[in-house]
Amino acid sequence: ALRALRLPLLQHGFTHFRLTIHPLLVEVSQPTSGLWLDLASARQAALPTPVRTLLNRLANVDTGGQK
């Protein structure tokens, strides 16, 4: 069964609208297509501010024993 951990909401303000992100932390057994980075590499990548904020928050997430 897929387990997902709900993370705190993230709100980010743009010039003309407000974005509310409802993040979920899930473990992927085998990545599908696309570019996958480990957390340390992802933090160094050029990313939009809301995505960078989510990655930075992951350092403080208690996964309850999950990786």
Side-chain angles (χ1 to χ4, degrees):
L2 179 66
R3 291 177 43 180
L5 178 63
R6 289 183 191 271
L7 301 178
L9 291 179
L10 172 66
Q11 294 195 346
H12 181 79
F14 290 95
T15 306
H16 300 301
F17 69 96
R18 190 137 187 89
L19 173 67
T20 301
I21 300 173
H22 299 260
L24 297 173
L25 180 63
V26 297
E27 184 175 341
V28 178
S29 60
Q30 188 168 15
T32 57
S33 64
L35 175 65
W36 290 79
L37 301 172
D38 59 52
L39 187 54
S41 297
R43 286 182 172 155
Q44 300 302 313
L47 299 169
T49 299
V51 175
R52 182 170 306 287
T53 300
L54 285 172
L55 291 176
N56 289 335
R57 285 184 179 182
L58 287 176
N60 301 317
V61 171
D62 177 9
T63 61
Q66 289 180 316
K67 288 183 179 180

